[in-house]
Amino acid sequence: YTNESVDKAIAFINKDASLGGTELYRPLEDIFLKNKEDPQYALNVYIVTDGDVSDENAVISLIRNHKKNARVNTIGIGSGVSKTLVIEAAKAGNGECEFCTQNESISTKIINMLKKVATPKFTNINIIWLDGITSIIESLPSVIY
């Protein structure tokens, strides 16, 4: 990312987006379908929301069904955001989540998120132990000690 791209994202987020309900399912479905057509690059999806969605469970299920090909990260803004959606969508998509309250800087939250997701996520790891037993690990915890 560049300073210019972060500035553009912040300017877009700071617009008055009080347009009614938040429709996430169809845009996410479109993003996932387009990625299937050209899976050359790892897909990182960022959901920035200040509201609630009516089809929360369907959105989370859609994300979960595409987690092998995409990492979904979420930022919830303000007090009216669905905490369940922000947390569960990030979990379902093997991503990260952040919350931004009225007194916090959205730019700091975005930069923190970009730093977190810049680290590659390892999945489907095979470990062959000295005794020949193979362990398959589908995903790792956020921190390994």
Side-chain angles (χ1 to χ4, degrees), residues 13-72:
I13 291 167
N14 285 333
K15 286 182 183 178
D16 181 16
S18 305
L19 303 175
T22 303
E23 169 60 44
L24 288 178
Y25 190 92
R26 288 190 357 233
L28 283 173
E29 185 177 46
D30 188 50
I31 289 167
F32 293 142
L33 288 174
K34 284 182 179 166
N35 188 55
K36 277 188 175 179
E37 294 169 9
D38 185 19
Q40 180 179 357
Y41 300 103
L43 180 64
N44 275 296
V45 177
Y46 300 88
I47 298 172
V48 181
T49 181
D50 66 350
D52 202 358
V53 297
S54 58
D55 56 351
E56 199 169 90
N57 290 331
V59 168
I60 293 167
S61 180
L62 176 68
I63 293 168
R64 189 175 293 113
N65 291 337
H66 292 276
K67 70 180 179 183
K68 288 189 178 188
N69 302 318
R71 189 188 322 184
V72 176

Side-chain angles (χ1 to χ4, degrees), residues 112-141:
N112 287 343
M113 169 89 48
L114 291 172
K115 285 179 183 177
K116 287 179 188 176
V117 300
T119 306
K121 197 130 191 165
F122 296 102
T123 58
N124 299 324
I125 297 170
N126 293 322
I127 299 173
I128 301 174
W129 301 101
L130 294 176
D131 59 5
I133 296 174
T134 301
S135 300
I136 298 174
I137 303 170
E138 290 191 16
S139 64
L140 296 173

Side-chain angles (χ1 to χ4, degrees), residues 85-133:
L85 174 68
V86 173
I87 293 168
E88 295 303 319
K91 277 186 192 175
N94 289 324
E96 301 290 336
C97 72
E98 290 272 351
F99 288 94
C100 185
T101 62
Q102 201 171 25
N103 299 327
E104 294 178 302
S105 166
I106 186 68
S107 58
T108 301
K109 297 293 183 169
I110 291 172
I111 290 168
N112 287 343
M113 169 89 48
L114 291 172
K115 285 179 183 177
K116 287 179 188 176
V117 300
T119 306
K121 197 130 191 165
F122 296 102
T123 58
N124 299 324
I125 297 170
N126 293 322
I127 299 173
I128 301 174
W129 301 101
L130 294 176
D131 59 5
I133 296 174

